[in-house]
């Protein structure tokens, strides 16, 4: 998108937003381009994920103070880390498909961190240099599979369409990741409204922490937790049903809209 809000195509310059583009060298190359000279996309069709070939989705749980409180759980002393399958990735306006028999599919708006360079055992003070940018993510969660089926949370979070990403990647110099408003509505009703200032572990801490026990690679996606207001935390709990519409936005990172559909 250019300075006037026009959607421009990078296709004449790059094949996709891949590891080469996300590298420090690739981002410097893109920043030097005159976006007004790129071809206009006059009538965008379906928008896919802005990231190509994501190798890993690393998720941080219970990372907002208010969300931990609504869950009735103690504030973590270290980040809670789990994984999602990359097969769950979808576009920012794609349908959310309810798993067969699901009655407890929930919403979770999150800030996504996109890694831009090989990162291993990085100090917190140097972690920001490893980040290519940020994106809006919905960590859709089937709570019965997550909580009642025993084992890791990833079982409830890896169904197809359960990780919508986008609409775009915003480079790290354009936003302050520790001061972003997040908002999610279901059928026009506000369910989540928070700010990344409520994060228990901030962006730099997360990248540093994860890099202590695994090597992060360009294109890896870290999702940073969700603010209060999930369906599981409501009294009584409320979950998504076919026909529901989910709208999400994060400051500077754009919006998503999803129709919830049945898989049956």
């Amino acid at each position: 998108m250019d300075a006037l809000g026009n959607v421009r195509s990078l296709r004449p310059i790059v094949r996709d937003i891949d590891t080469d583009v996300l590298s420090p060298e690739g981002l410097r190359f893109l920043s030097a381009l005159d976006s007004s000279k790129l071809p206009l996309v006059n009538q965008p069709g379906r928008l896919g994920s802005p990231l190509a070939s994501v190798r890993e989705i690393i998720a941080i749980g219970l990372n907002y103070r208010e969300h931990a409180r609504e869950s009735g759980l103690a504030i973590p002393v270290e980040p809670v880390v789990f994984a999602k399958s990359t097969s769950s990735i979808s576009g920012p306006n794609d349908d959310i498909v309810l798993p067969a028999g699901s009655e407890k599919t929930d919403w979770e708006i999150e800030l996504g961190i996109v890694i831009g360079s090989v990162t291993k055992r990085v100090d917190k003070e140097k972690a920001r240099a490893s980040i290519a940018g940020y994106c809006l993510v919905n960590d859709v969660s089937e709570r019965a599979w997550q909580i009642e089926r025993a084992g890791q949370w990833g079982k409830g979070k890896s169904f197809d369409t359960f990780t919508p990403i986008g609409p775009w990647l915003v480079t790290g110099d354009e936003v302050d990741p520790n001061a972003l408003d997040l908002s999610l509505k279901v059928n026009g009703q506000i369910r989540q409204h928070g700010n990344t200032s409520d994060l228990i572990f901030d962006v730099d801490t997360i990248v540093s922490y994860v890099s202590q026990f695994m090597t992060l690679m360009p294109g890896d996606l870290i999702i940073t937790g969700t603010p209060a207001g999930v369906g599981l935390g409501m009294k009584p709990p409320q979950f998504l049903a076919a026909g529901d519409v989910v709208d999400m936005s994060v400051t500077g990172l754009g919006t998503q809209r999803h129709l919830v559909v049945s898989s049956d």
Side-chain angles (χ1 to χ4, degrees):
M1 186 173 291
D2 64 21
L4 298 176
N6 299 308
V7 178
R8 301 275 181 172
S9 174
L10 284 170
R11 184 54 62 88
I13 308 298
V14 300
R15 182 181 61 183
D16 212 331
I17 308 300
D18 56 17
T19 55
D20 290 335
V21 173
L22 294 171
S23 70
E25 297 79 12
L27 293 179
R28 281 195 294 269
F29 172 76
L30 289 185
S31 68
L33 292 175
D34 181 354
S35 60
S36 67
K37 300 293 177 61
L38 295 170
L40 280 167
V41 180
N42 293 318
Q43 292 183 321
R46 172 188 174 266
L47 288 176
S49 164
L51 304 174
S53 304
V54 176
R55 188 185 69 111
E56 303 237 29
I57 304 173
I58 303 141
I60 309 299
L62 294 174
N63 197 29
Y64 283 77
R65 293 172 181 84
E66 290 301 321
H67 177 50
R69 291 188 186 103
E70 77 172 347
S71 301
L73 298 171
I75 301 295
V77 296
E78 292 192 31
V80 177
V81 182
F82 61 96
K84 296 188 68 161
S85 171
T86 57
S87 63
S88 66
I89 291 174
S90 60
N93 300 305
D94 289 346
D95 293 346
I96 293 172
V97 180
L98 296 173
S102 170
E103 296 181 354
K104 296 183 179 180
T105 295
D106 206 345
W107 54 85
E108 291 194 15
I109 186 172
E110 307 208 4
L111 169 67
I113 304 168
V114 181
I115 299 298
S117 55
V118 177
T119 305
K120 183 174 182 178
R121 297 188 62 82
V122 68
D123 292 338
K124 175 182 175 180
E125 293 73 23
K126 298 179 180 178
R128 195 71 63 94
S130 300
I131 298 173
Y134 306 96
C135 56
L136 171 56
V137 181
N138 190 349
D139 177 23
V140 185
S141 305
E142 211 296 325
R143 301 301 190 187
W145 275 91
Q146 177 189 353
I147 299 169
E148 301 167 21
R149 301 295 293 264
Q152 295 296 318
W153 289 356
K155 288 196 294 186
K157 293 169 174 281
S158 293
F159 290 97
D160 291 352
T161 76
F162 269 31
T163 312
I165 303 172
W168 48 68
L169 169 73
V170 177
T171 53
D173 59 337
E174 295 189 66
V175 296
D176 177 359
N178 296 315
L180 301 177
D181 284 324
L182 305 91
S183 178
L184 181 145
K185 299 178 181 179
V186 178
N187 299 327
Q189 300 294 313
I190 293 249
R191 293 291 181 249
Q192 291 182 277
H193 188 265
N195 189 282
T196 52
S197 61
D198 189 45
L199 284 169
I200 299 166
F201 305 103
D202 64 16
V203 162
D204 301 322
T205 301
I206 291 168
V207 172
S208 174
Y209 182 87
V210 174
S211 79
Q212 303 306 307
F213 57 83
M214 66 186 297
T215 300
L216 296 168
M217 303 294 289
D220 285 354
L221 174 65
I222 305 176
I223 57 177
T224 56
T226 196
V230 297
L232 182 65
M234 300 178 71
K235 299 185 179 4
Q238 296 184 23
F239 300 107
L240 295 171
D244 287 344
V245 176
V246 180
D247 289 289
M248 311 192 332
S249 65
V250 172
T251 308
L253 302 186
T255 63
Q256 294 187 8
R257 165 167 277 207
H258 306 285
L259 175 65
V260 180
V261 300
S262 172
S263 61
D264 301 331

